[in-house]
């Protein structure tokens, strides 16, 4: 049976990317060696690193003056690495959920942490709109896509201070205006590559301004100076990232990707909105195109387990909602074809016909 992979992360990758990664594990560039057993400083791997950086810059239209880094430690490592490098006295945060909270928590030891607004009052089902960013903050931190709650900031917001964005789960899902950001980071395992890799896009002029000692491994300058090769980088995820970026480019780049993502999200949200049985959890204007969260209406709540089993039997994988939201979450990242979203929609309609 065909499986439709709605996992939130690690999550779906393009089949082609998995096949090409598998081929490189067996033999990279007809060298007779696996990518797993060659030096990260070899010609073969240096070419992978160079192409991955170049494709990042090309696809995202990254202007001059920014560096692209590939590091270990996942997005969570950045929750402390960012304050080490950018936090002098005060940092501001938009609290839109679990990940924003973790970023805030890790920053607390560095100085004054300001929460400019929070949507905690309604279990993070919306993105706060009316907030003032303090002009004396060292930076303002946002989470553009809230993977757990299914809300997303689709606009590149204007900030009077450097804007720092966790884009773990929506990077490469739409074109962005990089010039509005000071730093963008994320774990690779949602939209880009297997787990174990974190990407950082940082505006060079923001670095070197804090007065503290920064441990070598946590200093962005260390990794910029060494082209992400200060120590051994996560070579296999970087290889997969390169293949994902080649795939993105061959499929029309980010404009085309955004079109497809809009179509997929509309298909699923329209089904939810027209359903007698299901209801979305996020407010409409802040709905995520990447993670679609929905629950059973109260009168059908007892059917939740039944739908879970029904969907599983039809090949739907990973649609169980996060424990802090409940219900269901369909993650429909870049690599998810609209046919799989249609399969889920058919499954929801069939279940509703049987049971409503
Ligand atoms: C998954 C996720 C993280 C955590 O990523 P790790 O690589 O596991 O540390 C952080 N932020 C967001 C928005 C995420 O979706």
């Amino acid at each position: 049976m065909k499986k439709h992979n709605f996992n939130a992360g690690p999550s779906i990758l393009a089949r082609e990317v998995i096949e090409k990664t598998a081929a490189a594990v067996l033999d990279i560039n007809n060298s007779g060696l696996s990518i797993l057993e060659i030096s990260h400083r070899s010609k073969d791997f240096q070419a992978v690193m160079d192409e991955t950086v170049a494709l990042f810059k090309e696809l995202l239209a990254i202007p001059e003056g920014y560096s692209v880094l590939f590091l270990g430690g996942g997005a969570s490592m950045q929750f402390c690495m960012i304050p080490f490098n950018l936090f002098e006295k005060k940092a501001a945060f938009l609290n839109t959920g679990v990940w924003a909270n973790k970023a805030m928590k890790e920053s607390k030891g560095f100085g004054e942490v300001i929460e400019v607004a929070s949507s905690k009052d309604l279990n993070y089902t919306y993105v706060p709109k009316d907030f003032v960013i303090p002009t004396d903050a060292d930076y303002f931190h946002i989470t553009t896509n809230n993977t757990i709650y299914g809300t997303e900031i689709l606009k590149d917001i204007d900030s009077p201070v450097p804007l720092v964005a966790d884009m773990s789960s929506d990077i490469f899902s739409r074109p962005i205006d990089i010039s509005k950001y000071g730093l963008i980071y994320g774990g690779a395992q949602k939209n880009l590559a297997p787990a174990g890799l974190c990407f950082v896009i940082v505006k060079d002029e923001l670095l070197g301004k804090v007065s503290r000692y920064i441990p070598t491994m946590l200093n962005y300058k260390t990794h910029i100076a060494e082209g992400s090769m200060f120590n051994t980088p996560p070579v296999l995820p970087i290889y997969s990232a390169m293949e994902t970026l080649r795939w993105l480019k061959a499929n029309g780049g980010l404009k085309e990707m955004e079109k497809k993502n809009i179509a997929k999200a509309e298909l699923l949200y329209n089904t939810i909105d027209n359903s007698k049985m299901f209801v979305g959890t996020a407010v409409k204007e802040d709905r995520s195109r990447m993670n679609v969260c929905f629950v059973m209406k109260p009168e059908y709540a007892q059917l939740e387990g039944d739908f879970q089993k029904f969907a599983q039997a039809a090949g739907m994988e990973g649609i169980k909602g996060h424990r802090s939201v409940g219900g269901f979450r369909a993650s429909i990242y870049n690599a998810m074809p609209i046919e799989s979203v249609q399969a889920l929609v058919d499954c929801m309609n069939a279940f509703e016909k049987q049971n409503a």
Side-chain angles (χ1 to χ4, degrees), residues 153-207:
I153 301 169
L154 287 162
K155 186 171 166 274
D156 299 312
I157 65 177
D158 292 302
S159 169
V161 299
L163 184 60
V164 173
D166 176 353
M167 292 199 184
S168 292
S169 49
D170 63 349
I171 189 78
F172 293 111
S173 68
R174 64 181 167 92
I176 46 178
D177 181 355
I178 300 281
S179 70
K180 294 213 167 157
Y181 298 85
L183 189 150
I184 295 171
Y185 70 99
Q189 69 275 19
K190 313 278 165 54
N191 246 336
L192 188 62
L197 174 67
C198 161
F199 63 85
V200 178
I201 303 163
V202 58
K203 195 171 193 176
D204 301 320
E205 67 177 38
L206 299 180
L207 302 175

Side-chain angles (χ1 to χ4, degrees), residues 53-75:
V53 172
L55 284 170
F56 240 80
K57 291 187 171 171
E58 181 186 338
L59 285 162
L60 287 167
I62 299 176
E64 286 293 306
Y66 287 79
S67 295
V68 176
L69 299 174
F70 297 112
L71 309 171

